[in-house]
Amino acid sequence: MQQWVAEIAYETPSGPKRVNESFYLPSVEDVRAAVYKKGGYVLTIRPHARSPLERLLARSTWWQVQLLRGIQFRSTSTSPGVALWKIIQAETNPRRQNIMAPAREALARGLGVIDALKALNTFDHGTLAILAGSERANRLVEGIPHAIHSITQKKKNAAAIMGTMSWLAFDVFSIVSSLWAGKPMVLKWFRDNPPQDPNEMEKFLTVVSRLELTWDVLIYTSVGFGGFMGWCVFSYWINRGKKDWPTARIVRSIPLIGGYLRDLAFADSMSAAARMLRGLVPINDTLEQSSEASSAPDVTAYWKEALADLSRGVSLGAALDRAPLTRSERLEVAGLSDLGQVATVMESIAEMRSQAARTKHKMIVWIAFLLTGVFLALAFGSAIYALTVMNMSMDSMMGGLMEGAI
């Protein structure tokens, strides 16, 4: 299913009339058939495309929470589907009307509220899984607060990740810019102050060339690392909503970062499963929706394998007792005998995974800080080493550089 915008011509008593209409249909041929049924003539058909500002607004946490709260508020006197339709009809902002157009078309074609929310391409897998599970249990209104809590929690996790990435990016930029600007000045000073003794000239040239090579390696390593970070951020942004793609696989293969992302994914999916069980969603539907609540392949595989074992008659505790859960987590789920305990155990595992993710986040920050220190030590230590080898002083070099800069 996709949103299409068609330019249509209609015959009217006053002559031909051009209008633009949107359709939520699988293909261009379906759009043509729909226009033909309405008595129009297709002029052009193009895929619906949001502007960058509209994409930013649609994916903002604030807008998602406001939409869900609006559905919850209006659902007290009507069905969630009708509540969403009323929200769409009451919208007067053209930009938000454009964002809501896919949901309006989905509802107009008789699809349910979950299909309409999926058509928006706004909510992540975990949020949609909570809403879909609650809707299957006919408790969508009760599931909306859990979905809102999931959205706000993920916002905090995303803020922590972005804070770390921003700090690392600033660090890399500062170091690279300093080395890039200082390298020509330092090397020029060395070459302008060669030793007077001819016997020391060969040693001098060797030290200067090694210093230049060292700084080149540091600069290009930093540029490569900065480019990789920028590409990762861009790739995660444009591939948001997908289950898996090459950049995500590369990032997950990095030992500490891969474990950090896995812990976050388990915490999110376990929390989603616990909330669905609290909302009296059947256990089979809970496991199925939990497998869709995460984009991490190993987490998705965990829930699917557990559901397959449960469908074959394996007990719930044995079905959930599998890798990649840790030993302590497996001890908790292995002893499950009462369905009423499952939500509590899953909440406990989600909390343990969240704590593990916070620990790994601190380790990533400290390792990045340590690597930054090592990088700076190599950069400035190599220059100081060159000075000591050639029996020069730091004061003389700084004085020469300041005179050259003036």
Side-chain angles (χ1 to χ4, degrees):
M1 302 293 286
Q2 186 176 353
Q3 183 76 8
W4 306 90
V5 178
E7 186 180 8
I8 307 170
Y10 290 104
E11 290 287 350
T12 65
S14 58
K17 179 182 178 182
R18 287 188 177 187
V19 295
N20 288 327
E21 295 185 9
S22 59
F23 298 86
Y24 187 65
L25 293 168
S27 65
V28 174
E29 288 72 19
D30 294 317
V31 176
R32 293 184 184 277
V35 173
Y36 178 76
K37 289 180 181 179
K38 298 174 67 174
Y41 300 91
V42 175
L43 300 178
T44 60
I45 300 176
R46 60 178 175 83
H48 170 81
R50 292 172 179 168
S51 67
L53 184 60
E54 288 171 354
R55 288 197 296 269
L56 184 63
L57 176 61
R59 292 177 177 178
S60 67
T61 302
W62 176 86
W63 190 83
Q64 295 177 26
V65 170
Q66 293 304 311
L67 178 60
L68 292 179
R69 284 177 177 169
I71 296 173
Q72 181 184 17
F73 176 75
R74 288 172 174 81
S75 296
T76 56
S77 58
T78 185
S79 66
V82 174
L84 178 57
W85 180 262
K86 289 183 177 180
I87 292 174
I88 296 172
Q89 293 296 102
E91 186 58 65
T92 58
N93 187 297
R95 184 170 289 111
R96 292 180 185 172
Q97 287 177 343
N98 198 32
I99 294 173
M100 300 291 287
R104 183 185 65 241
E105 293 299 323
L107 292 174
R109 295 185 62 247
L111 299 179
V113 63
I114 300 300
D115 292 319
L117 293 176
K118 288 180 179 179
L120 288 175
N121 195 24
T122 296
F123 298 97
D124 57 40
H125 296 290
T127 304
L128 289 173
I130 295 173
L131 295 173
S134 303
E135 196 265 343
R136 288 190 182 185
N138 201 25
R139 293 174 174 268
L140 180 58
V141 177
E142 298 178 14
I144 287 178
H146 298 304
I148 292 175
H149 182 271
S150 175
I151 292 172
T152 54
Q153 187 62 39
K154 287 181 179 180
K155 181 183 178 181
K156 294 179 182 178
N157 294 336
I161 295 174
M162 290 306 299
T164 303
M165 294 291 289
S166 300
W167 181 81
L168 290 176
F170 175 77
D171 239 6
V172 171
F173 175 78
S174 301
I175 294 172
V176 172
S177 59
S178 300
L179 288 178
W180 207 296
K183 174 190 167 185
M185 298 174 60
V186 173
L187 293 178
K188 182 177 182 301
W189 183 88
F190 272 117
R191 293 190 173 104
D192 290 343
N193 295 272
Q196 301 300 321
D197 187 356
N199 296 327
E200 296 291 329
M201 181 59 69
E202 182 178 354
K203 182 179 180 181
F204 170 80
L205 294 176
T206 301
V207 171
V208 172
S209 62
R210 288 178 179 176
L211 176 63
E212 183 176 12
L213 177 62
T214 300
W215 281 25
D216 282 340
V217 171
L218 293 176
I219 289 173
Y220 290 120
T221 300
S222 300
V223 171
F225 181 68
F228 175 72
M229 288 178 58
W231 169 251
C232 288
V233 172
F234 176 73
S235 180
Y236 269 86
W237 173 255
I238 63 174
N239 291 292
R240 184 175 180 178
K242 293 183 179 180
K243 284 285 187 180
D244 196 20
W245 66 95
T247 305
R249 290 193 291 270
I250 293 174
V251 172
R252 286 196 302 268
S253 66
I254 303 174
L256 190 58
I257 295 178
Y260 172 66
L261 295 176
R262 188 181 305 111
D263 286 340
L264 285 180
F266 257 117
D268 289 340
S269 62
M270 283 288 179
S271 297
R275 294 188 189 103
M276 283 187 276
L277 291 175
R278 297 288 187 196
L280 303 181
V281 177
I283 185 63
N284 287 349
D285 290 340
T286 297
L287 296 181
E288 181 180 356
Q289 293 299 327
S290 296
S291 68
E292 300 178 3
S294 174
S295 58
D298 48 355
V299 177
T300 300
Y302 168 82
W303 293 108
K304 288 184 176 180
E305 292 170 5
L307 177 59
D309 284 354
L310 190 65
S311 302
R312 290 197 298 266
V314 178
S315 65
L316 180 59
L320 295 175
D321 180 13
R322 64 178 64 250
L325 292 184
T326 63
R327 179 177 177 81
S328 59
E329 292 167 348
R330 296 181 70 168
L331 288 175
E332 287 198 43
V333 301
L336 285 175
S337 58
D338 183 8
L339 190 60
Q341 301 174 348
V342 179
T344 302
V345 171
M346 287 184 174
E347 288 174 343
S348 174
I349 293 176
E351 179 58 32
M352 286 191 291
R353 286 286 177 165
S354 296
Q355 182 60 42
R358 287 192 290 269
T359 302
K360 288 185 174 66
H361 179 262
K362 293 179 181 178
M363 290 178 63
I364 292 171
V365 173
W366 279 108
I367 290 175
F369 182 80
L370 177 62
L371 292 177
T372 302
V374 171
F375 195 94
L376 288 173
L378 289 173
F380 294 104
S382 58
I384 295 173
Y385 172 75
L387 288 172
T388 57
V389 168
M390 292 180 288
N391 296 318
M392 299 179 181
S393 67
M394 179 64 75
D395 291 339
S396 64
M397 187 184 77
M398 294 303 297
L401 290 177
M402 292 299 294
E403 291 176 3
I406 294 174

